Amino acid sequence: MKAILLAGGQGSRLRPLTLNTPKPIVPIFDRPFLRYQIELLKQVPEIDEIVLSLNYQPRRIEEVFGDGSDLGVQLRYVVEPQPLGTGGAIKFAAGPHPTGPVVVFNGDVLTSVDLPEVIALHRAREARATIVLTPVENPTAYGLVEADDLGNIRDFLEKPTADQITCDTINAGIYVLEGETLDRIPADTQFSIERGYFPSLIERSETFVAYTYRGYWIDIGTRQKYEQVHHDIMSGRFSAPPFEGAAGTALVSPGARIEDGAIIEGPCFIDAGAVIKSGARIGPNSVIGANCHVAEDAQIEGAILWPHTWVDRAARLGGLIAGRHCQFGRHVEVSGDAMLGDNSVITDFSRL
Ligand code: GDD
Ligand code: MG
């Protein structure tokens, strides 16, 4: 069975972080995001090929995962000549005349849904398509999906307005689709699976089934959610590596160097090659990427620093997210929810 990961979007809501790092490989602690999805797909022994559907900066993603052998999977990359939208991209990645079930994932959702169970439901119901639904507080940023008591989908409305909201379940971005049903998607044309394909299943009264999942689910596509996923994993609200069995603790890589007199307060993460000098304090909810340097008396709390960032003496950083190779000068103060792109330089005594 083939799995297609839709990983071609530009990640515009995570700019500037995604200018050099496409959303599917933004780091979550010490790993590229898609690694979590690939691990989830490994739960299904039948999946023998994972196709990454790419468009934006495909080479960077290929460089990270190669042929997949490091992760124990077989990966193939498909790059659209131009963005085809979610439906066009699935059609393009599935190739000509697909048959049987194909698993599709939006490349920015993190969840612990039981995928074998979803596939089993799809088979038991002999569905043409099955999608995972999940409840959220505000469905307006998602696809609103209404199902009846028997789990048949009755309505699919992408990005509803407030007055169109009739239930709290949304499209979780995880599907099992019968290859034959992709015939309604025009080839090489921009086409939305949410606005075109799903409504057409309902119009044609085809067996379109909901699997409702009430466990952990998040779309990491905005700043707030990207930050939240780190908090959730650190606190144990979502049990996932690298914090499995270590929730709430200060997780320090054996390859990091913490000098005597540095204060480290969990939950936080300090990656390999990082140096925390004496008198520095790393407070709760901080993520210090590989090879970062935190100088004497610097204080960091609730900040996410990607690798290779330099924090000079007595700087105070709170709440921000900073890309790779940033420099914070002496006595810099950054508070609030700043987002800084790669190579940002904040000079001594600056306040943001
Ligand atoms: N290859 C390719 N080509 N991938 C694309 C394209 C494209 O043209 N456009 C979007 N994608 C990928 C994105 O990279 C992302 O992984 C996924 O498709 C979904 O696109 P988003 O831009 O993140 O959509 P969204 O979050 O606003 O809404 C979608 O996800 C929600 C769940 O998170 C919809 O599927 C909603 O219905 C759903 O509720
Ligand atoms: Mg999204």
Side-chain angles (χ1 to χ4, degrees), residues 5-299:
L5 298 185
L6 289 176
Q10 297 203 350
S12 55
R13 290 165 294 183
L14 281 178
R15 285 180 193 146
L17 297 170
T18 45
L19 291 178
N20 305 313
T21 306
K23 183 165 65 169
I25 54 167
V26 294
I28 307 291
F29 302 105
D30 55 352
R31 59 204 67 210
F33 175 73
L34 271 192
R35 223 172 106 183
Y36 288 98
Q37 286 199 342
I38 292 171
E39 296 293 342
L40 191 69
L41 289 168
K42 279 172 72 176
Q43 290 177 4
V44 186
E46 276 172 276
I47 294 179
D48 49 12
E49 184 185 47
I50 300 175
V51 182
L52 264 60
S53 161
L54 307 181
N55 190 263
Y56 178 67
Q57 301 190 353
R59 290 293 299 276
R60 287 186 194 268
I61 299 178
E62 288 191 47
E63 276 165 20
V64 168
F65 295 112
D67 63 4
S69 47
D70 287 355
L71 296 174
V73 294
Q74 197 177 323
L75 286 184
R76 194 156 64 80
Y77 300 89
V78 172
V79 182
E80 302 144 49
Q82 75 268 354
L84 292 176
T86 46
I90 293 170
K91 172 101 173 171
F92 191 75
H97 314 301
T99 53
V102 49
V103 173
V104 178
F105 260 73
N106 280 352
D108 58 357
V109 299
L110 181 60
T111 178
S112 49
V113 68
D114 187 331
L115 208 48
E117 243 186 47
V118 180
I119 296 168
L121 175 72
H122 178 82
R123 290 221 165 96
R125 293 285 320 269
E126 296 181 3
R128 301 285 278 162
T130 300
I131 75 176
V132 177
L133 310 187
T134 194
V136 295
E137 262 173 37
N138 178 9
T140 53
Y142 306 100
L144 183 78
V145 189
E146 213 178 307
D148 67 17
D149 294 346
L150 300 172
N152 298 301
I153 293 174
R154 291 287 165 234
D155 204 8
F156 190 114
L157 186 58
E158 184 64 14
K159 309 281 178 334
T161 55
D163 58 325
Q164 290 173 314
I165 294 170
T166 49
C167 60
D168 68 348
T169 41
I170 59 128
N171 166 24
I174 298 165
Y175 324 126
V176 186
L177 311 176
E178 287 300 308
E180 293 82 352
T181 63
L182 302 179
D183 60 358
R184 76 202 65 195
I185 301 178
D188 306 322
T189 308
Q190 267 234 347
F191 191 90
S192 158
I193 190 110
E194 298 87 353
R195 295 176 199 274
Y197 169 96
F198 290 137
S200 96
L201 292 170
I202 298 166
E203 276 157 29
R204 299 185 195 185
S205 305
E206 293 175 277
T207 312
F208 183 19
V209 170
Y211 176 99
T212 303
Y213 177 66
R214 298 187 184 278
Y216 189 82
W217 179 90
I218 196 166
D219 172 339
I220 61 140
T222 62
R223 181 203 191 285
Q224 188 253 330
K225 301 282 183 183
Y226 175 74
E227 190 177 44
Q228 183 169 348
V229 84
H230 285 89
H231 295 174
D232 290 344
I233 293 176
M234 280 191 267
S235 70
R237 183 169 168 249
F238 179 49
S239 174
F243 275 82
E244 261 171 344
T249 67
L251 191 57
V252 179
S253 159
R257 184 155 60 84
I258 313 292
E259 284 193 356
D260 288 348
I263 300 168
I264 313 291
E265 292 171 32
C268 67
F269 181 75
I270 302 176
D271 202 357
V275 176
I276 314 296
K277 302 290 283 183
S278 178
R281 174 176 168 270
I282 308 296
N285 288 324
S286 303
V287 177
I288 311 297
N291 302 310
C292 285
H293 182 99
V294 181
E296 289 83 354
D297 303 325
Q299 298 207 32

